[in-house]
Amino acid sequence: MKLLYSPNSPYARKVRIVALEKHIDLVLQEVVLGAPDSPLKPHNPLGKIPVLILDDGDSLYDSRVIVEYLDFHTPVARLIPQDHNARVSVRRWEALADGISDAAIAAMLEGRRPPEQQSPANIDKQLGKVMLGLEVMNLDIYKKKWCVNETFSLADIAVGCMLGYVDLRFKQLNWQDSYPNLAKHYSLLVKRPSFKQTMPAV
Ligand SMILES: N[C@@H](CCC(=O)N[C@@H](CS)C(=O)NCC(=O)O)C(=O)O
């Protein structure tokens, strides 16, 4: 199986960490987004990464579909619980983490537009979503080691990938000072070999 990815994508990192935690070998192919000869389009009409190309040539996207596929590909180290309520809780954490990444990416892209075309109001709006999302997570993780049922899961992976991305692009937010419960959770996550091996490039 081959993963089309870019090193700083929080969604692609989520997939890479799931594969590492489950000891699934993936061939990694780095993709430059927006390159005219991008190999993405034949595999994902949306032109987004990550994409997982299966051995039969079929392709899977987006990251939530890929992690579901990988988690059921092998029962080793299950990351999405089978119990319905626990599963919904894990997937809600993931939805919030991915949504915060969406907002952080939107703010980053707005800030990269030519100054005269930028909308400071949109940057503020997107960063507002980031901070409110972090505040909710900080409350939810209070006195818990892991996000759901005291068990390491996809929820923790999604949260860690999002926090790594927020740190990469918006260090100045200093979210660790405002959200100490989340900072404690993150300090546990970054000790895992799967997180160390996939740190975003500076
Ligand atoms: N919901 C998607 C989001 C994927 C996504 O937005 N990826 C970004 C890179 S971090 C991308 O490919 N952007 C290129 C584009 O939007 O054209 C997922 O979870 O896979």
Side-chain angles (χ1 to χ4, degrees), residues 87 89 111 114:
R87 183 187 179 86
S89 297

Side-chain angles (χ1 to χ4, degrees), residues 53-185:
I53 305 175
L54 304 179
D55 294 339
D56 65 4
D58 203 3
S59 52
L60 298 181
Y61 49 85
D62 60 16
S63 65
R64 293 185 214 180
V65 174
I66 300 172
V67 296
E68 173 106 23
Y69 177 82
L70 292 177
D71 201 39
F72 283 79
H73 185 72
T74 157
V76 173
R78 271 272 156 82
L79 294 168
I80 304 173
Q82 282 168 310
D83 170 77
H84 182 67
N85 287 338
R87 183 187 179 86
V88 169
S89 297
V90 164
R91 302 240 77 166
R92 193 183 78 163
W93 273 96
E94 182 189 22
L96 181 55
D98 284 6
I100 295 173
S101 293
D102 293 344
I105 289 171
M108 180 273 291
L109 290 174
E110 187 68 54
R112 285 189 178 174
R113 285 156 64 90
E116 66 282 4
Q117 291 174 19
Q118 276 181 33
S119 160
N122 188 32
I123 296 179
D124 284 353
K125 179 176 138 190
Q126 299 301 339
L127 291 182
K129 291 180 196 226
V130 170
M131 294 310 270
L132 187 55
L134 296 182
E135 187 180 327
V136 166
M137 286 185 168
N138 187 61
L139 289 173
D140 274 6
I141 201 79
Y142 177 60
K143 285 195 172 165
K144 290 197 247 172
K145 184 174 178 191
W146 304 119
C147 297
V148 178
N149 287 353
E150 296 304 313
T151 306
F152 176 74
S153 75
L154 174 63
D156 304 286
I157 295 174
V159 170
C161 293
M162 173 279 290
L163 291 172
Y165 186 80
V166 170
D167 260 358
L168 176 75
R169 299 295 185 212
F170 296 102
K171 200 124 200 103
Q172 72 276 16
L173 287 178
N174 285 325
W175 61 268
Q176 289 90 340
D177 295 344
S178 311
Y179 307 122
N181 310 330
L182 207 49
K184 194 168 153 215
H185 181 240

Side-chain angles (χ1 to χ4, degrees), residues 6 8-11 14 33 40 46-50 62-64 98 102 105:
S6 79
N8 290 340
S9 162
Y11 319 102
K14 186 174 58 169
L33 288 169
L40 269 177
L46 302 174
K48 294 187 180 206
I49 46 131
D62 60 16
S63 65
R64 293 185 214 180
D98 284 6
D102 293 344
I105 289 171

